[in-house]
Amino acid sequence: MSLAALIDELNPQQKQAATTDAKHSLVLAGAGCGKTKTIVARAAYLIDQGVPANQIQILTFTRRAASEIVARVELALGEQAKGLRASTFHTFCMYLLRRIPKAFGLEQFSIIDRDDQLMMFRLIRGRDDKKNPNYLPKPQELCDLYSFARNTRQKLSIALEKQMPEYLALKDQIADIMKEYEARKKARSFLDYDDILAVVAAALAQSDGLVEYVSSICRHMLVDEMQDTNPLQWALLEPLKEHISLFCVGDDAQSIYGFRGADFENIHHFKERVPDAQIFKLEKNYRSTQEILDLSNWLLDQSEIKYDKRLDAHRGEGIKPKMHIFPNEFDEAKWIAIDIKERHYLNGNKWSDHMVLVRSSFAARHIEAACIAANVPYRFIGGMKLLETAHVKDLLSLLRVVANPLDDIAWMRFLTLWNGVGDVGASKLSQQLLAEPEMEKIADKLEKFGKIPLETILIMKQMAVLKTEVQACVTLAIQAIENQLAENYKKDWNRRQGDFELVKQLASKHAQVSEFLEEYVLDPVSISEIERQSDIDVVTLITIHSAKGTEQKVCYVANVTPGQYPHARAQGSFDDVEEERRVLYVALTRAQDELILTKQNLNHWARETVDEQGRKVESYFMNDLTRNLCTMETHYKTRQQTVKSALIERQSINLDFGIDLD
DNA sequence: CCGGACAGTTTTTTT
DNA sequence: AACTGTCCGG
């Protein structure tokens, strides 16, 4: 209840930071040193000092971090936090764009996601001529390059040189494509993810009035994970710094978003950019035992970069990390599942005490399969989002064209669903449809086109009338394309079909189709989030990037194998290898009590090498790992689940056979 | 020329 | 699961 109590819980360093009178502050905090706690306490302190909660804005980089903070703030401050905003940079900018669109020269606009961008780049770039292939970058590469240049606020030529020098010769052609992309975006009033920030940044740079307005609603900006912010995001903060107070928290050793232009210069040069800033350091780690930190510190020490970091455990000593080595990824995954299972049934640990960290969603597949096979309940975070799966996007494309017949990107997707319609036909027809945005006329043209069933066209007419009955609209849309989708996805149609129920559920919460569509462009809910809304007891399977800021008693870091850390594709680039090191560092520092690493490859040990220019190439971070830091165990064949744990599992299942006594 | 079927390959990370 | 390349039929 009391804010003072919250502040009393802080250690002296944290307290000093949270209660500073300095206008601007930078808090450098190692992993597990209470970064989030300090931010929450800072908010509490400000409120206690009389700052209205609605003038405090907490900014984070990912949605996960934002919701984490919201939860912590609500838990700690309760009613008093009412009005306090915590959101991602994107959500914050959207709030401004929606609230005062005129200040940005906008009227109507819609947000497009990456798939839409890819479609646009695909259309502009054109197909490859088989006989005479042009070597233009692929749509994906164009999209990434464009985004990278914008997030780092660099010229195309420089971004090109850094990201894909092999295309430097085609710079002019690439520039033309991007020019065309921007023209098309503008003509359709589309904003892509980067525009959301760029539009606001540009307006802030030009308009003192806007700066004043934003300053008046956010007197205090508390920025979390500062090391992940990129130059574009800094461009949002910079114009405000004279008028508001910045409280930025970060850790350069946890910067793992270089691919999105994150730049820890934002931390390293903070003092030069904000000369009157006070710097605080939090160095006591409250999360882990010293053994876990020793290994993490060791990993950073191996680097040529001076991270100047030595995490020190407040909790003292505990269990030494352990490395398990397997012949292949299947045995590795199976062992993890069984190990968790035994901890649950034999030691009585909760499922939710365990977290399995993986590099990529792809890498999670094996673990998922093993968990399913072993009956281990889990949820996967960082995976496919429901509203990003192909079949749901197909469905949404129909809703989109009905809500806005001028959305030719959605038309493209919708039209290509049908047999006999490819990119070219769809593109031609969609251009014709733009000329007649009346549903009646559109229906006529679709009928003449002859490749779409009459029934579907009829349903579309009905939908156009029903825009406010969101759930009915979605139900109709499903009817309209169900047969075709069943054919398109015949292999796993059964699995996909189930997702439409979830879409209906989500849709029912909205009053307008357009509102429903917009809400989830920026925040596509993940499937397991919907399925397991209640916090039931499950193991967490998570990508390292999603795991930042979280912690768990027992952490498994899977696939710590040569060629993975650093990933083979990063070899040879010093910056990329260092980012890989930080990714692994983030993974290691999630563990509270026990850290378990697993890897494959019994015999192949890549050694350190030197590249053509004589620079050191890191081939595997764990090469020189010693047994003082980490014990190792080699498994030559799969461990079988012990008879005892199998028995206990059966018993506990039997317990559930009774009637519901409630 | 277009689209579709099939086979083989290749998966980072997020807004 | 998504992307790529190739071949074939309209």
Side-chain angles (χ1 to χ4, degrees):
Chain A
M1 142 119 204
S2 94
L3 302 169
L6 191 73
I7 291 162
D8 271 348
E9 277 182 25
L10 302 174
N11 74 23
Q13 295 171 319
Q14 294 168 336
K15 193 173 194 167
Q16 214 186 5
T19 61
T20 181
D21 292 331
K23 183 173 175 194
H24 302 303
S25 328
L26 176 65
V27 182
L28 298 170
C33 294
K35 243 177 330 138
T36 310
K37 194 174 183 184
T38 306
I39 286 201
V40 173
R42 175 68 176 170
Y45 173 76
L46 290 171
I47 292 172
D48 194 43
Q49 295 289 299
V51 177
N54 64 10
Q55 291 196 358
I56 302 173
Q57 169 77 49
I58 300 176
L59 284 176
T60 65
F61 185 66
T62 63
R63 299 187 306 256
R64 246 198 107 57
S67 51
E68 175 91 22
I69 290 225
V70 171
R72 295 269 291 263
V73 167
E74 276 172 3
L75 193 70
L77 307 186
E79 266 301 291
Q80 289 164 298
K82 230 173 161 189
L84 187 147
R85 293 181 302 270
S87 50
T88 63
F89 278 87
H90 286 82
T91 315
F92 171 67
C93 289
M94 273 307 288
Y95 168 81
L96 293 174
L97 292 179
R98 285 293 175 211
R99 188 150 166 185
I100 43 167
K102 296 225 173 71
F104 305 96
L106 295 168
E107 289 280 342
Q108 281 279 239
F109 61 91
S110 41
I111 306 298
I112 55 172
D113 69 4
R114 192 180 141 85
D115 267 14
D116 298 327
Q117 293 188 62
L118 288 176
M119 176 69 86
M120 288 176 74
F121 276 114
R122 205 165 100 208
L123 291 174
I124 296 165
R125 175 183 179 275
R127 298 172 139 246
D128 274 337
D129 187 346
K130 265 165 243 145
K131 299 264 152 47
N132 177 25
N134 54 2
Y135 296 102
L136 280 172
K138 315 220 163 63
Q140 238 188 71
E141 296 174 301
L142 287 166
C143 196
D144 289 344
L145 176 66
Y146 179 75
S147 181
F148 184 81
R150 302 191 71 197
N151 278 292
T152 53
R153 313 195 92 208
Q154 284 169 321
K155 284 197 222 155
L156 175 61
S157 50
I158 296 182
L160 198 52
E161 205 179 326
K162 277 197 196 155
Q163 291 297 94
M164 16 207 273
E166 65 273 25
Y167 289 114
L168 262 174
L170 298 170
K171 194 207 139 223
D172 291 341
Q173 278 184 70
I174 295 173
D176 285 344
I177 293 179
M178 293 186 173
K179 221 163 151 190
E180 177 62 19
Y181 169 73
E182 295 192 330
R184 292 195 186 191
K185 252 190 332 188
K186 197 165 181 196
R188 293 162 179 75
S189 299
F190 285 161
L191 297 187
D192 61 32
Y193 286 147
D194 302 327
D195 288 321
I196 296 172
L197 305 189
V199 165
V200 176
L204 283 173
Q206 282 165 31
S207 156
D208 293 340
L210 185 63
V211 170
E212 241 165 73
Y213 171 75
V214 176
S215 308
S216 75
I217 58 171
C218 313
R219 302 231 72 92
H220 293 268
M221 291 261 198
L222 316 187
V223 184
D224 192 17
E225 308 283 10
M226 188 68 182
Q227 76 282 352
D228 290 330
T229 59
N230 58 42
L232 178 56
Q233 286 160 334
W234 177 245
L236 288 166
L237 300 177
E238 232 239 315
L240 301 170
K241 73 181 184 200
E242 299 298 320
H243 308 268
I244 67 168
S245 152
L246 290 173
F247 187 85
C248 304
V249 183
D251 177 7
D252 55 357
Q254 293 186 68
S255 172
I256 55 174
Y257 282 93
F259 66 96
R260 264 191 67 185
D263 183 4
F264 47 72
E265 302 286 300
N266 281 352
I267 285 192
H268 289 164
H269 294 185
F270 193 81
K271 190 78 189 152
E272 288 135 60
R273 294 174 180 179
V274 188
D276 50 343
Q278 195 166 349
I279 313 277
F280 299 93
K281 276 195 167 188
L282 308 183
E283 289 172 312
K284 237 339 178 215
N285 176 295
Y286 291 85
R287 177 181 295 151
S288 314
T289 58
Q290 190 60 47
E291 284 82 354
I292 292 167
L293 298 183
D294 284 343
L295 182 59
S296 312
N297 287 333
W298 170 82
L299 178 66
L300 288 193
D301 281 347
Q302 303 288 105
S303 168
E304 283 171 27
I305 294 184
K306 272 229 151 56
Y307 287 102
D308 195 21
K309 202 133 293 174
R310 181 137 286 278
L311 294 176
D312 192 18
H314 178 255
R315 293 176 51 193
E317 314 239 300
I319 302 170
K320 197 187 278 188
K322 199 156 182 194
M323 168 86 86
H324 292 267
I325 304 165
F326 301 89
N328 60 57
E329 65 265 46
F330 301 102
D331 287 348
E332 178 188 13
K334 192 171 173 188
W335 181 87
I336 292 176
I338 292 178
D339 196 55
I340 294 176
K341 196 172 177 175
E342 297 196 346
R343 284 162 186 271
H344 177 77
Y345 288 115
L346 298 181
N347 306 353
N349 290 5
K350 286 193 292 188
W351 293 116
S352 57
D353 291 341
H354 308 85
M355 177 155 81
V356 184
L357 295 128
V358 292
R359 189 59 222 276
S360 60
S361 335
F362 173 65
R365 299 199 93 86
H366 292 298
I367 318 266
E368 265 192 285
C371 284
I372 292 170
N375 266 324
V376 173
Y378 71 93
R379 68 185 164 148
F380 178 43
I381 296 174
M384 204 50 178
K385 306 291 191 291
L386 171 65
L387 290 104
E388 283 171 350
T389 54
H391 54 295
V392 173
K393 292 205 114 182
D394 293 341
L395 177 68
L396 294 185
S397 75
L398 173 52
L399 291 165
R400 278 171 65 180
V401 298
V402 173
N404 173 16
L406 294 176
D407 189 341
D408 56 344
I409 303 301
W411 275 118
M412 285 296 299
R413 180 153 200 139
F414 174 69
L415 293 173
T416 47
L417 289 179
W418 307 95
N419 292 337
V421 189
D423 268 9
V424 180
S427 162
K428 271 188 206 145
L429 180 60
S430 72
Q431 291 317 303
Q432 287 175 38
L433 293 176
L434 295 189
E436 307 268 15
E438 291 286 305
M439 192 34 101
E440 285 296 320
K441 300 263 174 59
I442 287 175
D444 288 347
K445 287 202 169 159
L446 290 178
E447 212 176 313
K448 242 191 266 161
F449 187 55
K451 310 228 162 142
I452 298 171
L454 282 180
E455 201 199 331
T456 300
I457 300 176
L458 267 171
I459 295 180
M460 289 174 72
K461 286 197 213 171
Q462 286 177 48
M463 285 172 64
V465 187
L466 273 175
K467 280 185 199 170
T468 49
E469 291 295 322
V470 183
Q471 198 164 10
C473 230
V474 174
T475 311
L476 279 175
I478 295 170
Q479 253 179 55
I481 57 173
E482 208 163 28
N483 292 335
Q484 183 65 44
L485 290 189
E487 199 184 324
N488 294 356
Y489 297 109
K490 45 189 167 237
K491 287 209 175 67
D492 44 20
W493 172 241
N494 283 336
R495 178 180 62 76
R496 289 170 184 265
Q497 202 177 13
D499 291 343
F500 289 141
E501 270 315 304
L502 299 175
V503 178
K504 273 198 230 169
Q505 258 180 54
L506 282 179
S508 66
K509 292 178 199 146
H510 296 269
Q512 282 270 328
V513 173
S514 51
E515 183 194 303
F516 165 62
L517 292 172
E518 170 156 315
E519 165 108 19
Y520 295 106
V521 184
L522 279 176
D523 193 0
V525 197
S526 88
I527 297 176
S528 57
E529 264 170 68
I530 306 173
E531 284 172 348
R532 312 186 189 279
Q533 266 170 348
S534 51
D535 270 352
I536 53 171
D537 184 27
V538 294
V539 173
T540 300
L541 177 56
I542 192 167
T543 62
I544 297 173
H545 281 79
S546 304
K548 198 145 63 160
T550 66
E551 58 188 15
Q552 204 46 259
K553 292 202 181 88
V554 183
C555 285
Y556 298 79
V557 184
N559 206 8
V560 188
T561 300
Q564 292 295 316
Y565 295 93
H567 195 277
R569 80 180 70 244
Q571 296 279 344
S573 154
F574 181 80
D575 288 347
D576 289 355
V577 168
E578 281 311 309
E579 179 146 324
E580 294 284 307
R581 184 190 304 284
R582 295 189 295 265
V583 169
L584 185 54
Y585 177 76
V586 168
L588 301 184
T589 52
R590 296 310 97 194
Q592 295 175 309
D593 301 342
E594 268 186 83
L595 174 61
I596 299 162
L597 308 170
T598 63
K599 70 171 207 164
Q600 304 145 32
N601 277 12
L602 288 168
N603 33 32
H604 171 247
W605 280 74
R607 295 304 314 182
E608 202 170 77
T609 50
V610 170
D611 74 358
E612 312 87 66
Q613 283 113 43
R615 288 174 309 184
K616 187 170 136 189
V617 172
E618 206 77 54
S619 54
Y620 181 45
F621 293 140
M622 294 302 185
N623 267 341
D624 301 317
L625 189 57
T626 61
R627 282 171 192 271
N628 323 335
L629 287 168
C630 181
T631 54
M632 299 188 210
E633 183 179 341
T634 303
H635 302 255
Y636 293 97
K637 58 177 200 197
T638 315
R639 173 164 70 160
Q640 294 302 313
Q641 186 179 2
T642 62
V643 177
K644 193 173 165 200
S645 87
L647 273 177
I648 295 177
E649 185 191 359
R650 195 157 307 144
Q651 271 173 19
S652 72
I653 287 171
N654 282 339
L655 287 178
D656 289 333
F657 270 84
I659 57 159
D660 189 347
L661 299 170
D662 209 351

